[in-house]
Structures are given as structure tokens and as C-alpha cells.
Amino acid sequence: MAIAIAHVLQASEAKVLYIDFDAHHGDGVQRAFYDDPRVMTISLHETGRYLFPGTGDVLETGSGSGRGFAVNVPLEPFTEDDSYIEMMESLLLPLVASFSPDVIVTQHGCDTHAWDPLTHLSLTMRGIRAQIKMARRLADAYSQGRWVAVGGGGYALYRVVPRAWSMVWAEMTGQELPEMLPEPWVERWRPIWLAVREDDEAAQSVMGKSSMPHDFPLTFMDSVEHFPAQPRRMSISSTNRHTAALVRHLVIPPSVRQAFPAGRHRSPLAGLFDLLHLNRDPTTSPSRSRSLETPRGPLLLRDFCPASLVERLRPDPGLRTFARLPEREHQLLLDIARSPDCALTLAHTPLGAIVGQVTIAPADEWWEGIENLYEVAIEVSSDWRGAGIARNMLAFALELDALEDMILFAIGLSWHWDTESLGISVYRYRELISRLFGSQGFIEYPTTEPNVSMEPSNVLLARIGKRVDKRTANQFLSRLLSSPNLARI
């Protein structure tokens, strides 16, 4: 697969997304492209604490210009369908939207199944089918159907592998699977399976589970009664959620996270945001707006933009920092505008071209437990830079007095922002971000937050509102130098 991906890179300008569904970490393909931003590798696997090859930690995110393009999701042993599907939904959609691949390559190792003798994951055919349908969904939505799927690990050779890979082939070719397995196939392989089952006792004593605890399967889907719930189901799901939260925080840009929000409690200041949205609703009162003169012509700044306004506007061709393509950037802005606890500020031309945006949104799960904490993200079209738009747009978005009740922060990341088109070093970019937010009272803080601490060119800046109580401020400052979520993984 690494050779095939390398061939695609040599033969074209395509960007390739590789998703590894095997229970073992996809270390080989990851290593081959660890410093290459044209390839994103995503591996969902059983944690390396218990399974070969022992790699695939969430902090393995790439090196050099490939930083942020290696993604690892280590799952707890005995993870079941529901938790696995939850991880896929919360991570794959925003990652693929942000990367915008031209080709998707997926590896469908089916050793994730509960009957596999070599691993400790506990999926059924329902979970495996969800993987396959997700791959098809992503290919149709993001790579114009360019999808290469291959097999992989799978050691329950008669009960799992044929059914799983038949599902892959059926999905790729648009065929509906029958409910029952073909009778000639069952008769052909049942005697061999019965002979192999006699040796299953050894596998059971080594792995602590049996690969073949029931009769030979007759249907494509597993029977629910064959898979009793794991006694630690809630604990396993909770740990997986913490892992997903850390992955989202590390490798998904802030605007994309807000467009694909994970399940979260309603923001403590959602009532305030509701009020501000209402006061800016064109049906009740005009949106707050301001004209801005630039060397390229006039712009209009608007805050708390409703989705109805965003729908009427169009993205400038250079608006592609977070989702790589203007039309997808526009969809992200629509999703953010529909969120009740996000504030979206836009800069657009009189003819309706969006050239910049500022998002104020609740902090992600990394900062869980800190009230009134919001993250700020900013973007300006590459065609409109150097005209002072970012500074004026940010000042406009942050001048409301209500923001003095909040702690606002921003993280400048060398791989989340469109640094390539700027033509400057990542350290010069760091200085640019610091000056931009510094003009609005943001201060740089030292932190152990992994995105910042593992890359010298990254920076965390924050502004603590004048009316934020001392306890909340101290809690935030204490969190900057601790890693509670990381300690849980």
C-alpha cells in the first residue's frame, strides 16, 4: 500500500488519505509518509499497550512539514460496536473535510471482530459494516469516488474473513448482500471449520477468549445473542471518548472542530449567546455592521452572522485555510453559523464574496471543567492578505462588552493555518500571530498543552476578561501547566 501511494504521488499532484481499520497499528504506511503533508494516515487500532507492534500513540502526529498529518486512535481492549462507531463519526468526518483528499485508500483488516483469536477488540459484523460504509461515504463526498480498498489482518479464517471482505466488495460494486450465506459455500467450509475448532482451546487459553464459541455462521450479519455486553462497557467507552477528545484537540483545526462538534454540555454562556444572536437577527433588528476601506476596495464587517446570511454569500477563491477548498470552507461557515453557542464574524465584499472570518466558540474537551472559556479562530483569504483585514476584523469581533465575562484564547499552529502560501518561516508566522492577537490584549502564556509544547513555532495566547472571577482565572492558568486529559490516555 505504501508503494501504491508513493506511485500516486509520483504520477500526479494528488493528495492521498490512508485509513487503516486493522486492529494492529498501521505503522508501516505511517512511517513511509511521516514527514509528507501530501499523505494523511489515520489508524484506528487496539492500543499498543497490549498488542503488537506497540506503537500508534495519539502523540505520533508526524514530523517536519508532515506534522498533523499522522493520526492515531488507540482504542481500549474489548471496544464494542457502539463505541467504535462513535469514534469514527467524531473523528473521520472532520479530518477528511479538513484534508480534502483526491484519493482515499482504506485497509479493512477484520481482526477487530470479537471472534478473532489474536486481538482483544470486540466488534461484530455491524461494526465492520459501519467501517466499510463510512469509507464509501467519505469517498463519494470528498474524493469524487476515487477509492482503493484492500484486505488486511483477519485470523478467524472461516467465520469472519469471508463475510467481512464480501461486504467490502459488495459496497464497492453497489451490490446488496443476501441475508443468508450461499449454501454451497457453507457446505464447502463447515467441515474444515469443525476440524480447526478442535484446536481452538489453545488459542482460548492464550488469549483469554475463544475465536469460535458458536456454530458456523449462516448469515452475513451476526446474531446479537452471541455477543453479551462487556462488563466494563461504560468505562471502556469513557476512555475511548477521552482519546477521541485528545485527537480532535491535537490534529483538527478549531474552525473544523466547531463545524463538526462532538457531544458536549450546553455552554455556560449559551443564554448570553442566544440573546446576542437574537439582538443581531435581521428579523428583529439590523446586524451590527461596519464598513472597512482597503486597497482592494470596501468590505463590510458583520458579527453574529446567521446561517441565512451565510447562505446568500459566496467564498472568495482564496478562502481555503481550514478545509483546503473554498466551497467546503463555505459549508464549514454554514455549520458554525447554525451552532447556538458559536459567534461568527464575517468580512465580505459588497458583491457578497467572503474574504475573512472570526469564530468564537466554546473550548473543546481538553479544557473541560473551566467555565466561560472560548477559543478564537481567524482566517483571511490568501488573495486579500496584507491589507490590515485580520486586525480590523478581530478588533470588531472582540469589542463587545459581554466578552469581558469570558476567557478567550487562541492557539497558533504551524500546520493548522495556511502558512505555505504566506512565503514566510513558521517562526515569523508565530510572531505575526502574536502581534495580531496582542493588539487585542492577548498575552502569550507558557503551557504544557501538547500542541504548543512539542513545537517551538506554535504559541498559545489568552485574554482574561475584566469580570472573570479569580477562581476561574486561576483554574485556567493552572490548566495551562498541567495535562489532565493526557494523563488519562
Side-chain angles (χ1 to χ4, degrees), residues 72-272:
N72 287 289
V73 189
L75 301 167
E76 288 298 290
F78 309 109
T79 291
E80 297 172 289
D81 290 340
D82 289 342
S83 181
Y84 192 96
I85 294 170
E86 181 184 346
M87 297 302 98
M88 286 198 303
E89 293 283 349
S90 67
L91 293 170
L92 292 185
L93 292 173
L95 283 167
V96 179
S98 176
F99 184 61
S100 189
D102 301 298
V103 181
I104 295 178
V105 179
T106 55
Q107 195 262 52
H108 295 271
C110 52
D111 49 1
T112 52
H113 196 279
W115 288 342
D116 195 279
L118 295 188
T119 76
H120 310 91
L121 297 180
S122 296
L123 301 193
T124 70
M125 284 298 167
R126 180 169 72 91
I128 290 174
R129 182 170 65 172
Q131 298 171 353
I132 300 164
K133 289 191 172 295
M134 172 64 79
R136 179 58 181 265
R137 176 182 172 187
L138 295 173
D140 288 346
Y142 295 102
S143 63
Q144 298 180 316
R146 301 186 191 94
W147 175 29
V148 178
V150 299
Y155 308 97
L157 298 180
Y158 307 101
R159 295 176 56 77
V160 174
V161 174
R163 295 189 295 160
W165 292 349
S166 293
M167 284 183 176
V168 178
W169 176 248
E171 188 66 38
M172 295 195 82
T173 56
Q175 300 182 62
E176 290 293 330
L177 287 172
E179 181 179 343
M180 305 300 293
L181 291 169
E183 184 60 29
W185 186 89
V186 173
E187 293 304 314
R188 169 69 178 83
W189 295 105
R190 193 205 308 260
I192 298 177
W193 171 79
L194 289 172
V196 172
R197 186 180 182 186
E198 295 179 4
D199 297 328
D200 186 52
E201 232 178 82
Q204 185 172 7
S205 64
V206 173
M207 302 301 298
K209 67 175 184 177
S210 174
S211 63
M212 295 177 285
H214 302 292
D215 294 334
F216 195 68
L218 301 177
T219 64
F220 271 100
M221 297 302 293
D222 295 315
S223 300
V224 176
E225 60 268 18
H226 289 167
F227 301 92
Q230 293 291 336
R232 296 176 48 250
R233 171 181 285 181
M234 298 304 294
S235 172
I236 291 169
S237 297
S238 176
T239 301
N240 285 340
R241 287 192 189 101
H242 285 303
T243 301
L246 181 55
V247 172
R248 285 173 60 90
H249 182 78
L250 283 171
V251 295
I252 300 177
S255 288
V256 181
R257 287 202 308 269
Q258 301 308 328
F260 294 89
R264 65 188 179 204
H265 297 297
R266 188 163 167 79
S267 163
L269 288 188
L272 172 62

Side-chain angles (χ1 to χ4, degrees), residues 317-345:
L319 196 78
R320 55 178 183 268
T321 298
F322 295 114
R324 313 281 173 169
L325 297 173
E327 58 270 22
R328 292 182 187 160
E329 207 83 8
H330 191 221
Q331 184 59 51
L332 295 181
L333 296 178
L334 270 172
D335 292 338
I336 292 169
R338 295 185 180 115
S339 176
D341 50 4
C342 293
L344 176 65
T345 296

Side-chain angles (χ1 to χ4, degrees), residues 388-438:
I389 296 171
R391 187 179 298 266
N392 283 279
M393 185 171 56
L394 187 62
F396 176 74
L398 300 181
E399 67 184 11
L400 292 174
D401 181 70
L403 298 180
E404 296 298 338
D405 293 302
M406 305 178 187
I407 300 174
L408 303 175
F409 75 96
I411 302 182
L413 301 174
S414 58
W415 66 87
H416 281 183
W417 301 62
D418 192 16
T419 54
E420 294 177 8
S421 64
L422 291 176
I424 61 176
S425 72
V426 291
Y427 297 100
R428 176 74 179 97
Y429 173 76
R430 183 187 193 278
E431 181 183 354
L432 184 153
I433 291 296
S434 297
R435 288 184 178 180
L436 172 63
F437 281 91

Side-chain angles (χ1 to χ4, degrees), residues 297-317:
L299 294 176
L300 195 63
L301 307 180
R302 297 176 183 266
D303 72 346
F304 285 89
C305 295
S308 58
L309 172 64
V310 181
E311 287 173 346
R312 297 195 301 271
L313 302 174
R314 69 182 188 281
D316 182 81

Side-chain angles (χ1 to χ4, degrees), residues 2 6 15 29 40 51 90 131 136 139 152 238 298 349 356 384 403 444:
K15 292 190 303 177
V29 179
M40 174 175 279
L51 189 67
S90 67
Q131 298 171 353
R136 179 58 181 265
S238 176
T349 67
W384 284 76
L403 298 180
E444 179 180 346

